[in-house]
Structures are given as structure tokens and as C-alpha cells.
């Protein structure tokens, strides 16, 4: 199998952390690094693999291409069930999925939009609206506040055990630094959670 990724982007990092938690050695995959700033993901060859142009993309042994980081995570969860980062029993799976989607829609996406519209990193290929970027940065900060309260009641995002929801939240919180959004001293519960998940070996994947 081949993995097309961009090392500094949050979604490929999300997958790398997931694989590291599963003790899957990335050296067993052929990894192809793409330069998003140079537009490698916009080439005809890459669009043939993923028409949406995003990373990561996993090329299976039969030549098919699987994109979207969570779809790839689900694939590896089925191949390597332990540790169960997507849950075991139906209720646990549902609650982890709920919290992971919340982290995607209400944290990772606002951070990504703030980055794109405040930095203009992709201004050569998309319209940039700084006011929208500032609004999304505020929304991400509000989610930081929400998570600080939420994590005062439980150890991890979706409950007592570490899950993919923590992985999504971690990459979002870390990536938020590119728009000068940090946890700070006023969010001690979020800071304690961040210290816990960052201390895991997988966080450096």
C-alpha cells in the first residue's frame, strides 16, 4: 500500500497518530509526501486518485484509492481492532462517533477556515475573506472554552478512554497555533487533557 500525505497538515497527522496507536509501522507503507503549497494535490494524476484533492489518500494493493482520513482510520480499525479507537459496543461506538464529529465540525473545521482566510496560504487558488477567518477563530476559541468545561467532568473527549475523538481534538488544538490560538492559563482542564494526550508516544507520529 501507498500513503499520499503532507506531513504538516492536520488530517494526515490525525491518521499517523491513529496508526501509531495501533502500533502500525509507517515504514510498512510507501509514503509519498505532497507539497500542498506548490499544488501537488491539484495535479491531474492526484485528482484521478482523489477528485476532492485532499490528503491523506491510501492506495490499496489492488490499485483503488481510499481518501478522507476517517474512512482510512475505519479501514485500519477493521484490520487491527485493538486498541479499539472507534469503540467496541454499539453505544460506545455511537458516542465516540458523535464526539469525533463534534471535534471535526466545531473545532478542526473552524481552525482550518481561520488558517485559510487569515493567512491567505491558498490565496492563489481560492477567494480569501479575512472577516470570515476572524469569525472562525472566535468560534474555535469558544470551542476551547466548551472543552475546558467538558473535560472537567471526564478524562477524555468521549468518556473514560482515549479514542479517535481525542486524536481529532489534539491535531486541531495544535494546528490552531498557526492562527495564534492557544489554550492558555484560563483553560486548566483543557490544558491538563492536552498534556495527557501529548505525552502518549503516538502524538509524535
Amino acid at each position: 500500500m501507498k500513503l499520499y500525505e503532507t506531513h504538516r497538515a492536520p488530517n494526515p497527522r490525525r491518521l499517523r497518530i491513529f496508526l501509531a496507536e495501533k502500533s502500525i509501522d509507517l515504514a510498512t507503507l510507501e509514503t509519498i509526501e505532497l507539497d500542498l503549497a506548490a499544488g501537488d494535490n491539484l495535479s491531474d494524476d492526484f485528482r484521478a486518485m482523489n477528485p476532492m484533492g485532499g490528503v491523506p489518500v491510501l492506495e490499496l494493493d489492488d490499485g483503488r484509492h481510499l481518501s478522507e482520513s476517517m474512512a482510512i482510520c475505519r479501514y485500519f480499525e477493521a484490520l487491527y481492532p485493538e486498541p479499539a479507537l472507534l469503540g467496541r459496543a454499539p453505544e460506545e461506538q455511537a458516542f465516540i462517533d458523535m464526539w469525533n464529529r463534534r471535534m471535526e465540525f466545531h473545532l478542526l473545521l473552524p481552525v482550518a477556515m481561520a488558517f485559510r482566510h487569515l493567512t491567505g496560504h491558498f490565496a492563489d487558488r481560492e477567494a480569501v475573506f479575512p472577516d470570515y477567518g476572524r469569525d472562525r477563530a472566535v468560534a474555535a476559541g469558544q470551542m476551547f472554552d466548551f472543552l475546558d468545561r467538558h473535560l472537567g467532568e471526564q478524562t477524555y473527549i468521549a468518556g473514560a478512554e482515549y479514542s479517535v475523538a481525542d486524536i481529532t481534538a489534539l491535531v486541531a488544538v495544535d494546528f490552531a497555533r498557526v492562527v495564534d490560538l492557544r489554550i492558555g492559563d484560563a483553560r486548566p482542564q483543557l490544558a491538563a487533557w492536552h498534556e495527557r494526550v501529548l505525552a502518549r508516544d503516538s502524538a509524535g507520529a
Side-chain angles (χ1 to χ4, degrees):
M1 291 186 285
K2 296 180 182 178
L3 179 64
Y4 296 82
E5 66 154 4
T6 300
H7 204 72
R8 297 177 62 185
N11 276 313
R13 184 187 178 207
R14 178 159 57 152
L15 176 59
R16 288 196 306 275
I17 293 174
F18 190 93
L19 296 179
E21 286 286 335
K22 296 283 188 183
S23 297
I24 300 171
D25 188 355
L26 273 177
T28 63
L29 303 174
E30 181 181 348
T31 304
I32 295 91
E33 179 77 8
L34 300 180
D35 185 344
L36 299 189
D40 288 354
N41 58 315
L42 304 179
S43 69
D44 290 342
D45 287 345
F46 188 77
R47 291 282 195 175
M49 292 186 281
N50 179 12
M52 302 299 104
V55 288
V57 171
L58 180 68
E59 182 175 295
L60 303 178
D61 290 337
D62 64 6
R64 288 182 297 166
H65 295 93
L66 184 62
S67 59
E68 306 304 335
S69 55
M70 278 308 304
I72 301 173
C73 287
R74 288 187 181 281
Y75 174 72
F76 281 108
E77 178 92 344
L79 291 177
Y80 304 91
E82 294 296 331
L85 299 174
L86 300 180
R88 297 179 181 86
E91 284 189 5
E92 184 186 15
Q93 291 175 350
F95 276 96
I96 288 174
D97 191 47
M98 175 184 77
W99 278 106
N100 187 57
R101 289 172 73 83
R102 286 174 173 174
M103 295 306 99
E104 288 182 319
F105 294 148
H106 301 290
L107 185 58
L108 183 56
L109 182 59
V111 168
M113 291 299 99
F115 164 69
R116 293 171 79 143
H117 290 275
L118 289 177
T119 68
H121 192 72
F122 299 115
D124 62 330
R125 68 201 69 168
E126 66 182 11
V128 173
F129 302 98
D131 286 346
Y132 178 64
R134 284 186 284 271
D135 177 79
R136 294 298 81 202
V138 169
Q142 291 171 341
M143 196 62 182
F144 274 28
D145 294 335
F146 170 82
L147 287 175
D148 184 62
R149 298 189 297 271
H150 175 66
L151 289 163
E153 301 173 355
Q154 56 192 52
T155 305
Y156 295 107
I157 298 293
E161 294 188 16
Y162 181 90
S163 74
V164 71
D166 296 286
I167 298 175
T168 301
L170 173 61
V171 300
V173 167
D174 286 351
F175 193 62
R177 290 176 295 188
V178 300
V179 290
D180 292 325
L181 180 59
R182 291 171 171 80
I183 294 172
D185 296 334
R187 301 180 180 108
Q189 303 298 335
L190 181 58
W193 164 86
H194 186 254
E195 185 176 342
R196 283 195 298 276
V197 296
L198 203 59
R200 300 174 75 93
D201 291 341
S202 63

